[in-house]
Amino acid sequence: MCEVLDRYWNSGLAKGREEGLAAGRQERAVETARILKNSGIDTELIAKSTGLSAEEVRKL
């Protein structure tokens, strides 16, 4: 029984860790896009460079 609980616990930790890392990557992409946009860089180039959509970049 304990092995099953450990497996679920570890699975949950791994999933939470991955979700946190993904959120951090998204935040960094948005931060980078905002800096580039404020520097006058073309929206399409920012989108291509950061992985955000052009619409996401325009909304910043």
Side-chain angles (χ1 to χ4, degrees):
M1 179 73 168
C2 208
E3 289 177 25
V4 172
L5 291 176
D6 283 345
R7 195 171 344 139
Y8 282 112
W9 176 264
N10 290 334
S11 175
L13 285 176
K15 183 178 179 185
R17 191 175 304 119
E18 183 54 41
E19 288 174 1
L21 290 172
R25 286 189 293 268
Q26 176 70 14
E27 287 177 27
R28 182 65 180 152
V30 169
E31 180 182 336
T32 300
R34 188 173 286 122
I35 291 167
L36 293 172
K37 185 176 180 183
N38 289 337
S39 297
I41 305 298
D42 177 66
T43 299
E44 295 298 325
L45 180 58
I46 295 170
K48 190 175 187 180
S49 299
T50 61
L52 299 174
S53 70
E55 185 63 30
E56 288 173 307
V57 175
R58 283 187 206 95
K59 289 181 181 179
L60 295 177

